[in-house]
Amino acid sequence: MSDTPPAIEAVDVSRTYQLDGVSVEALRGVSLTVQPGDYVALVGPSGSGKSTLMHLLGGLDRPTGGRLVIGGRDVNALTPPEMAALRNETIGFVFQAFHLLPRTSAVENVALPLVYRGVSARQRRERAAAMLGRVGLGHRLDHRPNQMSGGEQQRVAIARALVTEPTVLLADEPTGNLDSVTGAAVLELLERLNAESGVALVMVTHDQEVAARAARRITMRDGAVVADSATAPHDRPLSVDHGRPETLVPAPSAEPRSVSGSGPGHPSGGSGGAAGATGRLPREPGPRGGGTDMREPGPRRAEAGTREVGPGEPGDGAA
């Protein structure tokens, strides 16, 4: 067994919301460990608590009970600025809706998290350009999201999540807005980065075929983990060669380009770009049936309690 400390460790974690005077248990005694280099699929029906757990694992919220340690630090002992810094240093986020700044070039979108690190403009561009080259977009540095396909936008989002060299990459339905060919290419890219860089990949998905590719599957129901099992390598589906080059060019006709750069059916705007860069998830609907799901449409309801806001996050005017 390796002596390397866990990237994330949750011990008997619970999360309770107060809605209209009623206590709703979104998470009930969840315990799990994410090691560096893990490849985990988090699955379960809508309302099972997947998104609430993802918020906690990403340092976007604090547990009501139990102990949650991210990057060796107990989140309950951190101030809001310390939490924001921990997210920036430790966690990378990839969203279904990309959340790129629509009027900003690819290289500037990727460089945005480095602004909060105090990295110089020249170094930001160099590091962002290198990361875009790593995901096969070295030729698209100065293109805006509305000049790219959905698959390219998602790769920009992946580059942005990884430019800070996090230990954990949290991906919420990363192929949900993509056609099957492009989605497979994005998954292969994430898996290659997981294998090559050792970043832990935790992916929330409703797609059983996507979940089957992970080395480990955590199943949730009614706010609790009901199964946590490793998948034998020979049981995982093999990657299919779709004839794509190494740069993973997506199918051009299968997915319409978004004028806003935010993907089909999702609002755009500067706050979305800042959200992706700083680790600030869009506010999810209030818990229903014991959990939340960020994919559910409809009016957003504010949760009870305080959500951590870091520098440059939505609401402070940063872009």
Side-chain angles (χ1 to χ4, degrees):
M1 189 74 177
S2 172
D3 293 330
T4 304
I8 299 176
E9 184 177 21
V11 180
D12 200 25
V13 164
S14 61
R15 185 65 174 97
T16 301
Y17 298 99
Q18 297 294 325
L19 296 175
D20 300 325
V22 178
S23 294
V24 178
E25 285 188 297
L27 292 179
R28 300 182 295 108
V30 170
S31 295
L32 61 87
T33 300
V34 177
Q35 299 287 355
D38 271 358
Y39 178 14
V40 182
L42 185 59
V43 301
S46 295
S48 63
K50 302 187 304 299
S51 295
T52 299
L53 180 58
M54 186 178 182
H55 277 67
L56 293 180
L57 298 183
L60 293 164
D61 198 3
R62 300 176 193 258
T64 305
R67 183 168 179 263
L68 176 62
V69 179
I70 300 174
R73 306 185 70 182
D74 189 331
V75 301
N76 283 326
L78 302 180
T79 65
E82 289 172 336
M83 284 284 286
L86 179 66
R87 287 195 301 271
N88 184 269
E89 295 166 1
T90 308
I91 308 294
F93 294 91
V94 178
F95 307 105
Q96 176 181 350
F98 318 139
H99 292 299
L100 303 176
L101 292 171
R103 292 176 294 279
T104 303
S105 69
V107 70
E108 291 170 330
N109 266 289
V110 173
L112 187 57
L114 300 175
V115 173
Y116 309 112
R117 290 273 189 96
V119 178
S120 70
R122 179 178 178 180
Q123 288 182 324
R124 291 199 303 266
R125 184 175 177 89
E126 288 176 352
R127 288 175 61 175
M131 186 55 69
L132 282 167
R134 191 173 178 188
V135 300
L137 291 177
H139 61 302
R140 303 285 260 167
L141 301 185
D142 296 314
H143 288 73
R144 295 187 301 276
N146 66 350
Q147 297 172 311
M148 299 180 179
S149 69
E152 288 170 328
Q153 290 180 60
Q154 190 61 295
R155 282 187 277 155
V156 172
I158 292 169
R160 181 183 58 194
L162 293 174
V163 74
T164 58
E165 299 181 344
T167 55
V168 179
L169 183 63
L170 298 178
D172 178 44
E173 298 284 359
T175 63
N177 278 348
L178 305 176
D179 66 271
S180 58
V181 173
T182 307
V186 166
L187 280 176
E188 289 166 12
L189 172 60
L190 288 169
E191 290 166 356
R192 191 174 75 229
L193 293 168
N194 165 253
E196 292 176 356
S197 67
V199 61
L201 175 59
V202 181
M203 184 164 47
V204 174
T205 182
H206 285 81
D207 189 326
Q208 294 302 315
E209 292 185 6
V210 171
R213 298 172 66 125
R216 177 181 168 200
R217 183 186 303 202
I218 296 175
T219 304
M220 297 193 67
R221 186 173 294 112
D222 299 327
V225 172
V226 296
D228 185 347
S229 58
T231 305
H234 62 269
D235 290 334
R236 298 174 206 154
L238 298 174
S239 297
V240 178
D241 183 3
H242 297 284
R244 290 183 301 278
E246 185 64 22
T247 53
L248 301 176
V249 176
S253 60
E255 48 178 314
R257 295 184 179 182
S258 168
V259 173
S260 66
S262 61
H266 293 269
S268 64
S271 64
T278 61
R280 168 73 167 163
L281 280 171
R283 194 176 296 277
E284 77 278 16
R288 303 192 311 177
T292 62
D293 194 310
M294 288 181 289
R295 299 184 69 208
E296 296 176 358
R300 306 280 187 183
R301 295 184 60 184
E303 295 173 358
T306 301
R307 185 171 304 278
E308 310 296 347
V309 179
E313 297 189 13
D316 67 359

